[in-house]
Amino acid sequence: MKIAIIGTGNLGSSIAKGLIKNKSFTSLYLSDKNTSAVKTFEEEPHVTITSDNAKAVEASDIVLFALQPRHIEGVLKDVAPLIKADHVVLSVAAGYEISRIESIIGSDKNIIRVMPNTAISIGKSMTCLSANDKGQGKIELAKNIFNQLGTTMVIPEEQIQAATVICASGIAFWMRLVRATTQGAIQLGFEAHEAHDLAVQTCFGSASLLIESGRHPEQEIDRVTTPSGCTIEGLNAMEHQGLSSALIQGIVSSFEKINQIKKN
Ligand SMILES: NC(=O)C1=CN([C@@H]2O[C@H](COP(=O)(O)OP(=O)(O)OC[C@H]3O[C@@H](n4cnc5c(N)ncnc54)[C@H](OP(=O)(O)O)[C@@H]3O)[C@@H](O)[C@H]2O)C=CC1
Ligand SMILES: O=C(O)[C@@H]1CCC=N1
């Protein structure tokens, strides 16, 4: 596969890391105005670092646009004449609908919205996918790429906005929970690095329990909360402070912010 990533910032460079780790390409072009984030990859076999988006598009079959929503339109317009019917165009831009991409490059092109997260750099992304009509024939190709970098779910485009919040922004939400646990551990007397290690491994164990057991979180909670014990005391104190409600409100606020991004 000949892949180009246009925009190698936070997410583009994370995807590049994941692809390079998996060696899942015959050619990988990494294009950015400022290529400093991917300089480390320039010695990698079959990887080309460039600031020439057109060159990256012409040399590739699969073009992934990892640009901010405010930048993607200009770049799409610049390279539109170079995008052929056989190209697979992938976009990760939050709030930037397929219809807007089609209005620039045409609805006769293979277009797939991809919503991964930064865990893609270590092959642990939850990636949601949604294609236009023409792109339906390439959804298995996209699944094959991103299933090597985590797990995938094909959803209607109407749900990509929610997936952005749960899966992409979700990394930051879970990191904040880990940080808060670390702060609590420090307050209870652990050194910062010890607190971090305790919080991270417990978080990893919790997620692994759910993935491997298939059980519901509350089933796992019931296995921890000894009657009149410390766990239920802590959980109820958190809920009295609005823990679950605060998380849900944050998720909804993040979703609503994308509506504003869409208008830009
Ligand atoms: N970060 C995340 O976890 C996720 C991000 N997304 C989406 O991915 C997209 C990128 O986000 P993120 O990686 O965080 O943003 P970044 O700003 O970190 O990366 C975007 C990159 O695009 C570069 N760029 C800007 N204009 C051009 C151009 N004309 N040609 C080539 N490169 C250009 C930027 O360079 P410069 O800095 O010089 O402007 C920057 O390096 C966004 O649309 C976001 O909504 C989706 C899921 C998760
Ligand atoms: O915060 C953002 O807007 C982007 C989309 C999801 C993660 N980062």
Side-chain angles (χ1 to χ4, degrees):
M1 278 182 291
K2 298 191 284 184
I3 303 173
I5 298 177
I6 312 294
T8 56
N10 295 321
L11 185 61
S13 60
S14 297
I15 295 171
K17 276 183 198 143
L19 288 172
I20 290 167
K21 190 175 171 190
N22 264 53
K23 295 181 174 46
S24 43
F25 54 84
T26 51
S27 157
L28 177 63
Y29 272 73
L30 303 176
S31 182
D32 199 299
K33 288 194 301 185
N34 167 2
T35 56
S36 57
V38 288
K39 269 271 178 279
T40 51
F41 299 140
E42 61 188 358
E43 299 307 318
E44 293 288 340
H46 313 299
V47 174
T48 306
I49 312 290
T50 180
S51 294
D52 184 340
N53 294 334
K55 180 182 170 190
V57 170
E58 288 182 307
S60 307
D61 303 322
I62 298 165
V63 183
L64 187 150
F65 292 91
L67 300 156
Q68 290 186 26
R70 60 195 171 121
H71 295 143
I72 191 169
E73 190 144 313
V75 174
L76 282 173
K77 285 177 178 169
D78 288 345
V79 301
L82 306 173
I83 294 177
K84 308 302 180 203
D86 291 342
H87 269 117
V88 180
V89 172
L90 308 175
S91 167
V92 298
Y96 201 83
E97 298 96 337
I98 286 174
S99 58
R100 294 174 75 178
I101 300 171
E102 287 179 331
S103 69
I104 298 169
I105 68 172
S107 58
D108 61 335
K109 305 297 189 302
N110 302 300
I111 300 170
I112 301 175
R113 284 188 71 184
V114 178
M115 197 42 65
N117 60 42
T118 47
I120 200 161
S121 62
I122 53 168
K124 294 281 189 300
S125 177
M126 178 68 242
T127 301
C128 292
L129 304 166
S130 185
N132 69 342
D133 290 345
K134 178 73 174 358
Q136 291 301 328
K138 300 292 184 181
I139 205 80
E140 285 306 314
L141 169 68
K143 280 172 67 177
N144 290 339
I145 294 171
F146 290 96
N147 275 330
Q148 295 175 54
L149 303 170
T151 58
T152 58
M153 187 183 290
V154 178
I155 59 175
E157 186 180 15
E158 303 76 60
Q159 289 185 308
I160 286 282
Q161 184 168 331
T164 304
V165 175
I166 301 303
C167 307
S169 305
I171 291 283
F173 302 154
W174 290 112
M175 294 296 178
R176 186 53 55 85
L177 285 173
V178 170
R179 175 63 185 144
T181 304
T182 303
Q183 289 170 289
I186 294 167
Q187 186 168 338
L188 297 182
F190 286 104
E191 295 295 332
H193 70 278
E194 293 172 322
H196 173 83
D197 292 347
L198 295 173
V200 169
Q201 182 58 33
T202 304
C203 177
F204 177 70
S206 305
S208 303
L209 266 174
L210 295 178
I211 290 167
E212 296 190 22
S213 73
R215 284 193 287 266
H216 189 282
E218 289 305 325
Q219 289 177 291
E220 291 302 330
I221 287 172
D222 288 347
R223 295 158 65 90
V224 179
T225 49
T226 307
S228 297
C230 62
T231 307
I232 193 63
E233 186 77 22
L235 277 177
N236 288 349
M238 291 172 194
E239 293 300 349
H240 289 319
Q241 294 297 317
L243 172 69
S244 296
S245 177
L247 282 171
I248 294 163
Q249 285 179 333
I251 284 167
V252 172
S253 296
S254 182
F255 180 87
E256 287 165 354
K257 176 66 178 179
I258 298 176
N259 290 330
Q260 289 175 29
I261 293 171
K262 276 180 173 178
K263 294 186 183 112
N264 295 342

